[in-house]
């Protein structure tokens, strides 16, 4: 007998500084779970708490009456999903709770004791197996041991599958939210995943830990079939690094042509690929590429080396300039070190202002548990891993060594306001995207400024 399964994405803690002000991506992982569960004969519904008021959670549980509730979570959401699980169990102790998502895959122990099941690997297959086991009346303890992907302590082995043979994500399950899924300036934006992991080994990168340093790809014809089924004009390819294989990209473009697809694409890519393969970037542009997120990370060679980034400042600079010249939007990710002084922030501002239109995301270095950077930086970390909501890539996790925390936050704000969010950016957004999108972005920028201002004033 099929079960009702509720799939929930949490609302971030009010003190987290989140990019939700600028982007709310569709919960692709939950849509994948929904389609696989339904194919197995269960009935799944998705509740996106980012876009719902707090009180909706229990009302939804009361009306949908799920036998199982599954949660997805990043690190800042761990405490929140634990609280959700407690309140759901209080409502009905018979409901089975499952934690999954990228944090559970690398740090499953953080969820120990708070959920009936924790999905450690192969989330989709594992969730279906849990639902089937619960429907068959299996005891939780027995199922924990028997289902291969379920976390049951370090004594069990967990084999990651690298073949991708799942049905397309069920985007109808988020139909009521889809008008509000966006990525920065790109409104009504769908997401798609075409590959997993990355061939590189940057020391701060969490994505490669999820894929256990493997890199594997979906069949590109299958990807294009999925794109054809997407209604939105804007499609964000959420691969950790889409710019890996030239034959695959060429094939992607060929199939896009054959299918007559006309979409706008946004993707993540590396600077060295962009510089070395301008012709491929042009080809992608001719097939709808509109924006690339490039991990520029630093203007200092020694930091890039320390991050094992395997690019140089010169390559990064050339990549941003090339995208600028081609009219492709470039979002640059910058990591600011805990050992930065005022002169470093001054240099960062000068570095970014050499670009025509710097669109940037500045993050204090955040060594995420499970990465090599975390092991290297353990002694400098001053925020406990249990203060989950502060691990948002915006709060200082390590104590600044050359200035106070308040001064550090002030300098982050200063870097934003003297570069990416200065007057010319306002004009750029207004001219290119119109008043409505400008106002949404301005509202988000104001909110984040207010959060940083509070930290700069009161710590
Ligand atoms: S290139 Fe990007 S995705 Fe690949 S390891 Fe480095 S940070 Fe991660």
């Amino acid at each position: 007998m099929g079960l009702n399964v509720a799939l929930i994405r949490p609302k971030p803690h009010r003190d987290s500084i989140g990019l939700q002000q600028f982007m709310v991506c569709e919960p692709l992982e939950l849509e994948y779970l929904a389609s696989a569960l339904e194919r197995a004969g269960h009935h799944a519904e998705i509740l996106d708490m980012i876009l719902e008021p707090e009180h909706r959670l229990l009302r939804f549980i009361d009306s949908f009456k799920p036998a199982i509730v599954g949660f997805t979570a990043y690190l800042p959401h761990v405490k929140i999903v634990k609280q959700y699980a407690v309140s759901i169990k209080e409502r009905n102790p018979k409901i089975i709770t499952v934690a999954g998502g990228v944090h559970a895959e690398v740090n499953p122990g953080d969820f120990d004791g708070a959920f009936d099941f924790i999905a450690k690997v192969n989330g989709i297959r594992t969730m279906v197996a849990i639902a089937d086991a619960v429907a068959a009346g299996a005891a939780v303890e027995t199922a924990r041991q028997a289902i291969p992907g379920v976390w049951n302590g370090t004594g069990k082995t967990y084999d990651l599958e690298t073949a991708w043979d799942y049905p397309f994500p069920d985007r109808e399950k988020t139909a009521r939210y889809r008008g509000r899924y966006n990525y920065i300036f790109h409104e009504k934006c769908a997401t798609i995943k075409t590959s997993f992991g990355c061939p590189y080994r940057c020391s701060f990168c969490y994505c490669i830990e999820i894929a256990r340093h493997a890199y594997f790809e979906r069949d590109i014809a299958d990807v294009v079939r999925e794109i054809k089924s997407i209604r939105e004009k804007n499609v964000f390819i959420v691969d950790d690094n889409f710019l890996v294989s030239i034959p695959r990209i060429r094939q992607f473009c060929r199939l896009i042509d054959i299918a007559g697809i006309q979409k706008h694409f946004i993707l993540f890519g590396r600077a060295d690929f962009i510089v070395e393969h301008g012709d491929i970037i042009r080809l992608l542009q001719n097939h709808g590429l509109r924006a690339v997120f490039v991990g520029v990370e630093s203007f200092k060679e020694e930091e890039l080396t320390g991050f094992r980034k395997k690019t140089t400042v010169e390559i990064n600079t050339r990549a941003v300039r090339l995208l600028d010249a081609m009219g492709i939007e470039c979002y640059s990710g910058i990591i600011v070190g805990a050992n930065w002084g005022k002169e470093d922030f001054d240099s960062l501002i000068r570095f970014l202002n050499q670009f025509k239109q710097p669109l940037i995301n500045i993050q204090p270095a955040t060594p995420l548990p499970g990465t090599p950077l975390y092991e290297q930086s353990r002694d400098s970390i001053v925020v406990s891993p249990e203060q989950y909501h502060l691990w948002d890539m915006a709060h200082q996790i390590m104590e600044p060594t050359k200035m106070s925390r308040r001064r550090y936050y002030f300098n982050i704000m200063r870097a934003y306001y003297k570069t990416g969010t200065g007057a010319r950016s306002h004009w750029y957004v207004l001219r290119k995207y119109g008043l409505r999108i400008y106002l949404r972005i301005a509202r988000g920028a104001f909110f984040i400024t207010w959060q940083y201002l509070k930290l700069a004033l009161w710590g």
Side-chain angles (χ1 to χ4, degrees):
M1 187 189 71
L3 301 178
N4 278 4
V5 183
L7 302 168
I8 296 175
R9 173 159 76 171
K11 188 190 283 297
H13 189 284
R14 65 179 181 285
D15 291 337
S16 288
I17 301 177
L19 293 178
Q20 282 84 27
Q21 305 304 325
F22 300 106
M23 60 182 86
V24 181
C25 293
E26 68 180 305
L28 197 60
E29 68 279 37
L30 298 186
E31 294 167 349
Y32 265 116
L33 291 180
S35 60
L37 284 162
E38 300 239 333
R39 181 175 279 195
H42 305 286
H43 175 42
E45 290 294 339
I46 294 174
L47 186 72
D48 190 346
M49 289 298 292
I50 292 181
L51 300 174
E52 294 280 4
E54 292 286 354
H55 67 259
R56 188 73 182 107
L57 176 68
L58 291 179
R59 286 199 191 161
F60 172 69
I61 298 297
D62 288 344
S63 62
F64 182 50
K65 299 192 190 336
I68 300 175
V69 180
F71 303 95
T72 182
Y74 288 89
L75 172 57
H77 313 136
V78 172
K79 193 167 177 189
I80 295 164
V81 293
K82 284 182 178 178
Q83 288 164 345
Y84 285 176
V86 167
S87 52
I88 287 168
K89 283 280 190 188
E90 279 171 2
R91 203 67 152 211
N92 180 356
K94 288 194 185 142
I95 293 177
I96 297 292
T97 54
V98 185
V102 297
H103 190 68
E105 294 192 12
V106 181
N107 295 284
D110 284 358
F111 299 86
D112 266 344
F115 299 85
D116 295 300
F117 295 100
I118 300 159
K120 167 74 178 105
V121 283
N122 314 322
I124 301 171
R125 209 175 299 292
T126 300
M127 187 66 172
V128 172
I130 291 170
D132 289 347
V134 173
V140 169
E141 288 296 334
T142 316
R144 248 189 230 148
Q145 182 55 41
I147 299 171
V150 168
W151 171 246
N152 197 27
T154 49
K156 185 172 166 184
T157 46
Y158 306 92
D159 296 324
L160 179 71
E161 290 168 6
T162 54
W164 194 258
D165 60 350
Y166 298 107
F168 294 161
D170 186 346
R171 295 186 168 85
E172 288 308 307
K173 296 291 181 189
T174 49
R176 65 188 182 286
Y177 304 122
R178 297 199 73 81
R180 288 189 284 164
Y181 290 143
N182 53 57
Y183 186 75
I184 315 182
F185 311 125
H186 308 271
E187 297 222 299
K188 296 197 177 99
C189 186
T191 57
I192 189 167
K193 186 92 174 148
T194 88
S195 70
F196 303 82
C198 171
Y200 291 83
R201 295 286 169 267
C202 302
S203 63
F204 57 86
C205 183
Y206 197 74
C207 310
I208 53 174
E209 303 305 328
I210 302 164
R212 295 191 186 174
H213 297 196
Y215 171 72
F216 53 103
E217 298 167 341
R218 280 177 63 190
D219 171 45
I220 203 71
D222 193 49
V223 168
V224 172
R225 269 195 298 279
E226 184 181 333
I227 292 173
K228 181 111 180 140
S229 74
I230 291 175
R231 288 203 206 117
E232 286 82 357
K233 176 85 176 171
N234 296 312
V235 179
F236 179 17
I237 301 175
V238 291
D239 296 11
D240 307 322
N241 178 7
F242 183 74
L243 303 178
V244 172
S245 157
I246 293 172
R248 186 169 186 262
I249 294 172
R250 287 193 190 281
Q251 176 73 346
F252 173 78
C253 293
R254 250 193 312 274
L255 293 174
I256 289 278
D257 278 341
I258 291 168
I261 290 170
Q262 295 197 325
K263 303 274 190 200
H264 292 165
F265 296 106
I266 306 150
L267 51 86
F268 290 99
R270 282 178 57 90
D272 46 3
F273 185 100
I274 294 165
V275 167
E276 285 159 26
H277 305 291
D279 55 330
I280 296 293
I281 301 300
R282 180 68 78 195
L283 179 71
L284 279 167
Q285 183 180 31
N286 292 338
H287 289 80
L289 178 63
R290 290 294 176 271
V292 182
F293 193 107
V294 182
V296 167
E297 325 302 3
S298 180
F299 65 91
K300 300 184 189 189
E301 293 301 349
E302 66 274 18
E303 287 189 348
L304 292 177
T305 306
F307 291 146
R308 300 188 215 150
K309 188 72 198 179
K310 300 233 183 285
T311 57
T312 62
V313 175
E314 194 226 328
I315 290 173
N316 287 343
T317 307
R318 281 171 57 201
V320 179
R321 286 213 174 114
L322 186 70
L323 292 172
D324 256 358
M326 292 172 82
I328 298 172
E329 235 157 47
C330 175
Y331 309 133
S332 307
I334 305 287
I335 299 174
V336 294
N339 60 351
W340 279 30
K342 178 180 175 298
E343 62 288 356
D344 293 308
F345 282 96
D346 290 342
S347 302
L348 174 68
I349 291 165
R350 276 196 300 278
F351 172 74
L352 292 172
N353 278 336
Q354 71 179 297
F355 303 121
K356 199 164 84 191
Q357 188 54 62
L359 301 167
I360 50 165
N361 178 34
I362 300 177
Q363 298 179 339
T366 306
L368 292 170
T371 62
L373 189 63
Y374 182 79
E375 296 309 322
Q376 286 162 25
S377 322
R378 258 175 191 275
D379 296 341
S380 323
I381 294 173
V382 289
V383 173
S384 93
E386 282 73 40
Q387 288 174 287
Y388 295 107
H389 68 280
L390 298 181
W391 293 72
D392 54 6
M393 319 294 276
H395 280 85
Q396 256 314 108
I397 295 303
M398 296 186 284
E399 195 66 27
T401 56
K402 298 215 177 106
M403 60 179 82
S404 69
R405 292 170 78 79
R406 286 164 53 190
R407 194 111 206 110
Y408 198 90
Y409 286 122
F410 169 77
N411 272 290
I412 290 179
M413 270 174 51
R414 187 168 71 88
Y416 269 123
Y417 273 83
K418 292 211 155 184
T419 56
T421 48
R424 70 184 148 142
S425 285
H426 286 259
W427 177 235
Y428 169 81
V429 178
L430 195 54
R431 198 164 31 98
K432 185 160 180 190
Y433 291 102
L435 186 62
R436 195 166 47 77
I437 292 178
Y438 170 79
L439 288 175
R440 176 170 63 74
I441 297 291
R443 204 167 41 242
F446 178 79
F447 185 72
I448 288 190
T449 302
W450 169 236
Q451 284 179 301
Y452 266 124
L453 197 59
K454 283 194 291 183
L455 290 168
L457 289 173
W458 299 296

